[in-house]
């Protein structure tokens, strides 16, 4: 596709369950980012991949959160033992190289996670 | 630390001009980006200023003053479709991600 694709668009789960959120970036973009956005707030950085490796995971809130990008394209964000506070929209973004000299990221529409 | 401050809400009428200010605090500044986000939608890139001055893109312009740690987004000839949230953002100190402000909700009325 032409843009960043995220699935599912909506996910409702129960406290304590495991969830996976998928991101398919723009073809050819080596840099991939996960952000989390709560209502009325700006996107909050979680993790940055350059190719297959996590170049910066300093934004992951705790060890229940993990992300992979095994082939340098599609990425999966994994959340274990979900808590109600994990409810948010999880945004994925990609960019051509990861260089911040253009300030431009291409975002998907996000996966809305609701933990009951 | 790093922070960005912008007003939480701005209201205006169709056809008017509105300015959304952003002040920031950081070390190792690269430049200031602006994003638009409609309800339920993806943030979309509007502009980026690396150097001082005004950048114009159609009805939207963005300004940066590095010495004042200040920038703004100027929207002219407002239309109802401009009702959205607007975020300023800059690179984190490692140069690995953008840090976003809390956003300004713009409401345009007829």
């Amino acid at each position: 596709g032409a843009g960043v694709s995220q699935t599912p668009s909506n996910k409702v789960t129960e406290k304590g369950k495991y969830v996976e959120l998928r991101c398919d970036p723009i073809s050819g973009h080596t840099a991939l980012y996960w952000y989390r956005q709560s209502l009325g707030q700006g996107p909050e950085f979680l993790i940055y991949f350059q190719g297959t490796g996590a170049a910066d995971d300093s934004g992951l809130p705790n060890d229940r959160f993990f992300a992979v990008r095994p082939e340098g394209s599609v990425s999966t964000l994994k959340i274990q033992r979900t808590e109600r506070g994990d409810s948010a929209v999880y945004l994925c973004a990609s960019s051509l190289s990861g260089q911040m000299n253009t300030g431009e990221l291409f975002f998907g529409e996000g996966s809305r996670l609701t933990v009951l | 630390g790093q922070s960005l401050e912008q007003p939480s809400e701005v209201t205006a009428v169709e056809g008017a001009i509105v300015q959304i200010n952003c002040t920031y605090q950081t070390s190792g500044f690269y430049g200031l980006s602006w994003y638009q986000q409609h309800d339920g939608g993806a943030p979309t890139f509007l502009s980026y200023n690396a150097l001082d001055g005004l950048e114009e893109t159609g009805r939207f312009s963005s300004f940066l003053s590095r010495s004042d740690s200040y920038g703004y987004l100027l929207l002219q000839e407002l239309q109802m479709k401009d009702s959205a949230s607007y975020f300023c953002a800059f690179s984190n100190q490692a140069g690995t991600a953008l840090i976003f402000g809390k956003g300004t909700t713009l409401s345009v009325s007829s």
Side-chain angles (χ1 to χ4, degrees):
Chain A
V4 177
S5 176
Q6 292 188 245
T7 55
S9 55
N10 278 285
K11 175 71 176 179
V12 180
T13 190
E14 294 180 340
K15 180 175 179 293
K17 299 291 188 182
Y18 168 83
V19 299
E20 290 190 351
L21 306 175
R22 174 190 166 106
C23 173
D24 197 346
I26 293 172
S27 178
H29 280 193
T30 62
L32 185 145
Y33 309 80
W34 283 99
Y35 282 80
R36 177 169 70 175
Q37 187 174 28
S38 299
L39 193 64
Q41 301 294 314
E44 173 193 8
F45 169 70
L46 297 177
I47 187 169
Y48 157 58
F49 285 91
Q50 181 56 248
T52 61
D56 184 351
D57 65 357
S58 62
L60 294 177
N62 51 60
D63 62 5
R64 296 187 296 105
F65 289 75
F66 189 71
V68 296
R69 195 186 185 198
E71 298 179 358
S73 178
V74 171
S75 176
T76 304
L77 179 66
K78 308 180 180 193
I79 310 173
Q80 298 177 320
R81 305 183 303 281
T82 52
E83 299 177 356
R84 293 193 179 89
D86 298 336
S87 296
V89 175
Y90 289 82
L91 294 165
C92 178
S94 69
S95 70
L96 191 59
S97 67
Q99 296 295 321
M100 284 294 137
N101 57 344
T102 66
E104 182 174 13
L105 302 181
F106 296 84
F107 280 88
E109 295 200 345
S111 293
R112 180 178 297 277
L113 175 66
T114 302
V115 181
L116 301 178
Chain B
Q2 295 186 295
S3 65
L4 300 108
E5 295 290 332
Q6 49 182 132
S8 58
E9 292 183 17
V10 174
T11 60
V13 296
E14 276 188 300
I17 300 172
V18 72
Q19 178 174 313
I20 299 174
N21 298 319
C22 174
T23 58
Y24 60 85
Q25 180 177 352
T26 184
S27 56
F29 179 76
Y30 292 88
L32 194 69
S33 298
W34 288 92
Y35 283 77
Q36 178 192 61
Q37 185 179 32
H38 287 98
D39 272 351
T44 56
F45 174 79
L46 292 176
S47 66
Y48 176 70
N49 295 68
L51 302 176
D52 286 0
L54 192 68
E55 296 277 346
E56 298 182 59
T57 309
R59 295 187 297 113
F60 293 1
S61 304
S62 57
F63 172 83
L64 177 66
S65 169
R66 297 172 71 108
S67 60
D68 295 323
S69 298
Y70 163 75
Y72 65 72
L73 180 68
L74 189 73
L75 299 87
Q76 303 182 72
E77 301 171 18
L78 282 173
Q79 303 175 10
M80 298 289 284
K81 68 178 182 179
D82 297 329
S83 293
S85 293
Y86 293 84
F87 299 91
C88 55
F90 58 38
S91 171
N92 64 1
Q93 291 176 341
T96 54
L98 290 183
I99 306 300
F100 287 80
K102 291 187 176 181
T104 299
T105 300
L106 170 64
S107 299
V108 180
S109 60
S110 57

